[in-house]
Amino acid sequence: MAAGPWERLEGHEQVVVGSDPGTGLRAVVAIHSTALGPALGGTRMYPYPDEDAALADVLRLARAMTYKNALAGLDHGGGKAVIMGDPRTDKTPELLRAYGRLVASLGGRYVTACDVGTYVEDMDVVAEVCPWTTGRSPAQGGAGDSGILTAVGVWQGIRACAQHLWGSPDLAGRRVGISGAGKVGRRLAAHLAEEGAHVVVADPSAAALDAVRDEVPGVEIAASTEDLVERDLDVFSPNALGGALTRDVAARLRAAAVCGGANNQLAEEAVADLLAERGVLYAPDYLVNCGGVIQVAEEVHGFDMDRARARVLRVFDTTVRVLDRARAEGVTPEAAAAAEAEDRVAAAAATAPRFRTF
């Protein structure tokens, strides 16, 4: 029997549904935890098929943000927002301001930023009516494109996987397949190529592939993500939308490790076990893709790129620690990462008030 609404919301402190008929806004804000501080997470705009799909997505994403922020060492809890609609046709300044008023109504319990379908210029509009907005342009005192440091964190995660598997973080000569050549995948390809890795990229967008060719000389272009799955790779790196790691992909994947920037890579929790059974090392997405949230969190204190980048470089140490814990405890890296995050949240929650408002 499908879970009822209360069961689906269990574990989240607050879920707010907002609408504004005048602008067409339909949005959901989910606050999973504020034990470590105000919830921080991006705003996703996507043409969900229905309200149930939007709610399911925002609940998963908010929970992952709690873990991501905890593992990143931030004094922020986890939250996320989704706007139902096609960002190419439905997004307007008026809709974004209506969304900003929704976030502002929460009084700072949720701090928003960019995600799939929203961009720096959108956050500048949201910030016109909502002071709890990050991911703004440098001209507005913000950090700009959070993909810059997200890519740095994933790169450090891949180096940690190499250390765990082969005893050295050196990526020279390693074959890395990147699925998704967007703002994270393209920058990740450049970092890997600079280390001497052989980089293979797949993306359905010809424009994205042209951009990565221009920025990363020598990059190889694969026919598709399916092509990458079937290749002999050292690392497979999903950097597009979530759900890339299905049971079928886990059964066919020929890479030694999976480490990428996409959120919610596991199509279902059992896939983590399937990968482990096949000896494929999986670095959980929320462990390694925290560079973006570290970048925007810096805005709260006055943005400094050098300070933010130094913090993101610590993803290497955190990932090594989590992978070592998984090995020592005989559990999957997914379980070890979740336990590491929950340990920090539980310690904070012991002294923090907890709100549950639906």
Side-chain angles (χ1 to χ4, degrees):
M1 189 172 88
W6 292 105
E7 288 79 8
R8 293 173 65 186
L9 298 176
E10 184 61 37
H12 288 72
E13 292 182 12
Q14 188 173 9
V15 178
V16 177
V17 179
S19 67
D20 182 66
T23 63
L25 175 72
R26 291 186 300 159
V28 185
V29 179
I31 297 174
H32 180 260
S33 171
T34 56
L36 292 171
L40 172 61
T43 300
R44 175 168 296 190
M45 187 169 186
Y46 188 75
Y48 294 98
D50 53 45
E51 289 84 354
D52 280 349
L55 179 61
D57 199 29
V58 77
L59 293 176
R60 285 193 300 265
L61 290 166
R63 179 176 180 270
M65 286 306 305
T66 293
Y67 286 8
K68 183 184 300 188
N69 293 340
L71 290 169
L74 297 174
D75 294 326
H76 282 283
K80 205 79 174 186
V82 297
I83 298 174
M84 297 183 66
D86 189 330
R88 298 169 298 179
T89 57
D90 300 330
K91 188 194 300 176
T92 64
E94 292 76 21
L95 180 144
L96 291 170
R97 292 188 190 98
Y99 167 70
R101 289 190 290 271
L102 173 64
V103 174
S105 73
L106 297 173
R109 280 175 50 74
Y110 168 62
V111 182
T112 197
C114 306
D115 196 71
V116 174
T118 62
Y119 304 91
V120 169
E121 55 267 28
D122 298 326
M123 293 303 106
D124 282 348
V125 176
V126 172
E128 292 174 11
V129 296
C130 178
W132 297 285
T133 306
T134 61
R136 296 161 293 155
S137 68
Q140 298 299 319
D145 184 358
S146 62
I148 295 171
L149 292 188
T150 300
V152 171
V154 177
W155 166 43
Q156 292 304 307
I158 291 174
R159 295 181 71 249
C161 288
Q163 173 68 44
H164 187 79
L165 287 172
W166 305 300
S168 170
D170 185 8
L171 298 177
R174 296 292 177 190
R175 295 180 61 83
V176 182
I178 297 176
S179 173
K183 59 186 180 181
V184 174
R186 185 178 72 252
R187 292 185 173 106
L188 175 61
H191 290 306
L192 297 171
E194 286 172 5
E195 277 212 51
H198 180 84
V199 182
V200 189
V201 177
D203 194 291
S205 167
L209 293 177
D210 287 342
V212 78
R213 281 193 193 95
D214 290 342
E215 294 183 25
V216 188
V219 69
E220 182 183 349
I221 303 301
S224 64
T225 295
E226 285 298 304
D227 180 18
L228 290 180
V229 169
E230 300 287 351
R231 290 193 181 210
D232 290 320
L233 299 171
D234 292 302
V235 181
F236 173 62
S237 184
N239 291 278
L241 288 174
L245 299 176
T246 63
R247 287 176 179 266
D248 177 63
V249 168
R252 294 186 294 113
L253 190 66
R254 296 168 68 178
V258 177
C259 181
N263 288 315
N264 290 339
Q265 290 170 28
L266 300 175
E268 52 185 302
E269 292 183 6
V271 173
D273 295 320
L274 295 176
L275 290 170
E277 288 167 8
R278 295 196 59 236
V280 178
L281 180 68
Y282 170 60
D285 44 64
Y286 57 83
L287 171 63
V288 302
N289 70 3
C290 60
V293 73
I294 291 174
Q295 182 172 327
V296 298
E298 281 288 329
E299 291 185 34
V300 177
H301 310 289
F303 184 67
D304 183 293
M305 178 61 88
D306 291 338
R307 184 176 62 204
R309 193 176 194 278
R311 190 163 199 165
V312 175
L313 291 175
R314 299 177 198 164
V315 168
F316 175 85
D317 296 323
T318 306
T319 305
V320 167
R321 185 174 69 248
V322 167
L323 296 180
D324 286 348
R325 177 174 180 168
R327 177 182 283 165
E329 296 180 1
V331 298
T332 66
E334 174 74 12
E340 188 97 354
E342 288 166 359
D343 287 348
R344 183 168 183 240
V345 172
T351 57
R354 185 167 177 84
F355 301 93
R356 292 181 58 78
T357 305
F358 300 122

